[in-house]
Amino acid sequence: MLGDPRTVRVTGDDTAAVFRRAEDTGTGPAERHPRGGPVREAYVWCNLTSGDGSRALWLLLLPFMVVNLAHWMRPAAPARPRMVRLYGLLVRLAALTLTVLLVAAACEVALDLVAWQCAGTHACVRRHSWLGFLEPAGPGAPAGAGGWWSAPGRRLALAAALPTALTALLWYLSHRTWRAYESHQPLSAAPLPGAEGALPSAGGPMRGAGDRVPGAHGPERGTQGQLPGTHGVEPGVQVPVPGANGPVPGTYGLERDADSPVADGPERDAQGPVPGARGPEQGARASERDADSPGGPERDAHGPVAGAPGPERDAQGPVSEAPDPVPDGPGSVWDARDPEREAPGPGPDAPDPEREARSPVSGAHGPEQDEHDFAPHGSALARPGFWYGRRLVARLRAAHTAAGLLTVAGAVVTPAVRFDQRGGGAVVLELLGRLLAVALLACGAAVVGVVCRRGRSERRLDRRLDRHLVRALPLAASALLLLGLLYAGWSRPGWQSAGRLPGDPAFGALMLAQGLLVLTLAAVAGYLHRRRPDPRAGMRGLGGPAVALLACALGGVISGGVAQRVADWLDGTRALLAGPPVLLTWQASAIPPLLAVLLLLTAALATRTARLARAERDRVRREHPGEPEDPSRTRAIAHARAMATLTDRAPLVVAVLTATTLVLGSAALAGALATRETPDGAAHHAHHLVQAVAETSQALGSWLVGLGFLLFVTWGRRAYKDASARRTIGILWDVGTFWPRAAHPFAPPCYAERAVPDLTWRMATWTRRTGGRLVLSGHSQGSVLAAAAAWQLPPPVRARVALLTYGSPLERLYGRWFPAHFGPPALAALHHDIACWRNLYRRTDPIGGPVRVPARVPDDTAPDVDHEPLRDPLAYGRSTDHPIPAPILGHSDYQSDPAFTRERTRLLTRLRPQLPGQRPGPETRG
């Protein structure tokens, strides 16, 4: 990102840190050869998503991550707080059912298939000798002839260790990441750095631009994995860093690299393209990481700017000045290369009351708002508590942990209760069973109540943790589980295991509850969308319910796949055991029809893309008049443009996938409840064609589920051992874990809850200490982090920040799928609140696109944010400047385009059009 293998860590730790070129810190040869221009910094955060081997365990959390996304895909609808609360409640309940489903699947494997069915069948035990100590006595054997563990209740109690351990693992992962991610307080948690001194950066101690840093080089990183149609890159964000070589025309700039939050202090020639898009020795930096990291800031590095202007709203308009004093107390920066230099003088840092009054989101640090308050013309990302959901995650973690333990307790207790209710046994056991069942139901109701009681609190930093609730609920569930194990393990003469474990209909009830929740969620989302229709919103505002349904379907497929694979392993012929619940077999049988529909959709999209590519050829020819035509070159460019449009067809794909899943899932549930047989058994007396289809679907579905499960395990094992595979998975998490854990506490943690505070603290403390200005640049997912960080800045700091985004999915993906937070009003407010903003994109980019900032009032012209589409490739054929054919870059290497440097320089000029006065030298002081 920084274009130099010699990098120095300025601040931060091994997880996330700010880096700068060695020559920009006074540790390299540039100290003897001072140069002018802005200073680049890179904020590298890839270890937040692809760090150690434990990231491989995150694959287990994929359904939880997907359902958590549904919470943030709510349509924007002002003045409807009750419906918004209902929307969040429904998503949290759907998330709770996924936890129960995962633990129930573990209970199905351990308690039903292994302990109840296989261990209770002599032929199965002979095939698996390791179950010999659980084998009951043979026919005609005297009572008590079997081992102590042979009683069905004791077998169940022993097998309960597996789902209990799974629940404990989920609790541990959530608790550990909760302490590492949610514990980072945003900038508004403390007073802004002022005359008393600058606050330390969230990542570590702040250093001035000229401070020497012991050569702490950033960790090496391997080649980044790539998402389909994109180029991989190291995530980075560029942060403002003061330069140290004397006053330079411009301002302190901060530029972030496209793929990881990195502060980009410039080390670029203001007149030419950035030399090579390759970053320092951190693996493959040549290509920018695809939607994963913000770029870094670019600063004009030298001392306070007198009379710097205030924020600029119109892209073409003049810049107004808003001077304000910068304290020269302990928070001031002294140039380490010139000990005689005076501390910075007054700089423009005063808030603009007029601007704040007009800004719809400038009250981010003002009046309190919670998650249900609305910013009709802004975004909730500007609220002080948005990136601090510590209290909610702790409450939900306690509730979901208790729900998992209660699921295990119910699976153990239910068979014993049913046996005791037959009569003929001890009356005390029957009474204890009833009391225990009531206690389990009461504790389950308490869990649901905790989930329903409250959502996120965003209007302020809520530091309370509900310690009694967080501790009491899991402890109560654990106590009930222990009592249940003791109750089930009590001696019951005559109790034998046969068939499937009682409680088989639980999967059907769980699937029915999920379907009803999703349908209700769709009704609420449709109502919210109609209150303020957004033509660009994905699926007409139904994206959240669709994603929630896919999360439930994914959880069902994983559960069914695990159960079927274990059943095949225990009894490959299916002649000894009853097997898993029939509903799981019906779900697996629905996979082949679903794949057939997706194949038809893929064929239709491929046909449409081929037609669009043929139409694009004429446009490509017209764009290069007078040049010799190269048919293969024309076809390649047209094909790249046509393929890039597939991203805009994502709503159609999700809609077809969701509708097909809903129909097939309903049919599977109805077939399982009506026939209580597997699909081939239910079609035994049907027409031979129907029977053939049922048998083929069931067999093929079982194999496909098994293949998917094996691939899942193989990928997880490889990710645990291979750092490059972890980075590939990390790219997926970069997209899915940008949002806080608002619905499911076991989802992978939100890296933005660490990255956004890091960036805002770095920018706010730097601008206050130096009086400088900065350009914050971000590529792909980095542009989203850059926007989130800009929203969290106080208005005086925002007035000094220019935003440069490139390859940005802000509107194309986030604006369409998350309209409540990145819709047109939110993007318009962002453009209004920061000094100036420019966006670069290409027609060949499958991820980035225009941000389409709307006019703030009907009679305004559209703001000049989007640059015209960049040429890609830079040259059609061979030329003097391009003797070798220029590559089609698509989503990568935006910094190699001359437009990048030109627009960055223009932003710096717009931030402060006047040249600063020369600082007095030592001979003129006094």
PDB file of all heavy atoms in Angstrom, residues 114 270 292 889:
ATOM      1  N   VAL A 114     -26.311 -42.141  18.314  1.00  0.00           N
ATOM      2  CA  VAL A 114     -25.246 -42.922  18.946  1.00  0.00           C
ATOM      3  C   VAL A 114     -25.731 -43.605  20.217  1.00  0.00           C
ATOM      4  O   VAL A 114     -25.680 -44.837  20.339  1.00  0.00           O
ATOM      5  CB  VAL A 114     -24.028 -42.012  19.248  1.00  0.00           C
ATOM      6  CG1 VAL A 114     -22.956 -42.785  20.001  1.00  0.00           C
ATOM      7  CG2 VAL A 114     -23.459 -41.457  17.947  1.00  0.00           C
ATOM      8  N   ALA A 270       2.557  14.625  -6.626  1.00  0.00           N
ATOM      9  CA  ALA A 270       1.249  15.211  -6.827  1.00  0.00           C
ATOM     10  C   ALA A 270       0.877  15.308  -8.277  1.00  0.00           C
ATOM     11  O   ALA A 270      -0.261  15.555  -8.600  1.00  0.00           O
ATOM     12  CB  ALA A 270       1.210  16.602  -6.198  1.00  0.00           C
ATOM     13  N   ASP A 292     -12.334  -5.222   1.200  1.00  0.00           N
ATOM     14  CA  ASP A 292     -11.993  -5.560   2.563  1.00  0.00           C
ATOM     15  C   ASP A 292     -11.297  -4.537   3.361  1.00  0.00           C
ATOM     16  O   ASP A 292     -11.033  -4.768   4.498  1.00  0.00           O
ATOM     17  CB  ASP A 292     -11.084  -6.745   2.569  1.00  0.00           C
ATOM     18  CG  ASP A 292     -11.795  -7.898   2.045  1.00  0.00           C
ATOM     19  OD1 ASP A 292     -12.945  -7.907   1.865  1.00  0.00           O
ATOM     20  OD2 ASP A 292     -11.181  -8.806   1.826  1.00  0.00           O
ATOM     21  N   LEU A 889      -8.086  -3.731 -15.444  1.00  0.00           N
ATOM     22  CA  LEU A 889      -7.860  -3.756 -13.997  1.00  0.00           C
ATOM     23  C   LEU A 889      -9.107  -4.121 -13.207  1.00  0.00           C
ATOM     24  O   LEU A 889      -9.016  -4.687 -12.119  1.00  0.00           O
ATOM     25  CB  LEU A 889      -7.322  -2.402 -13.541  1.00  0.00           C
ATOM     26  CG  LEU A 889      -5.979  -2.006 -14.163  1.00  0.00           C
ATOM     27  CD1 LEU A 889      -5.588  -0.607 -13.719  1.00  0.00           C
ATOM     28  CD2 LEU A 889      -4.903  -3.008 -13.794  1.00  0.00           C
TER      29      LEU A 889
END
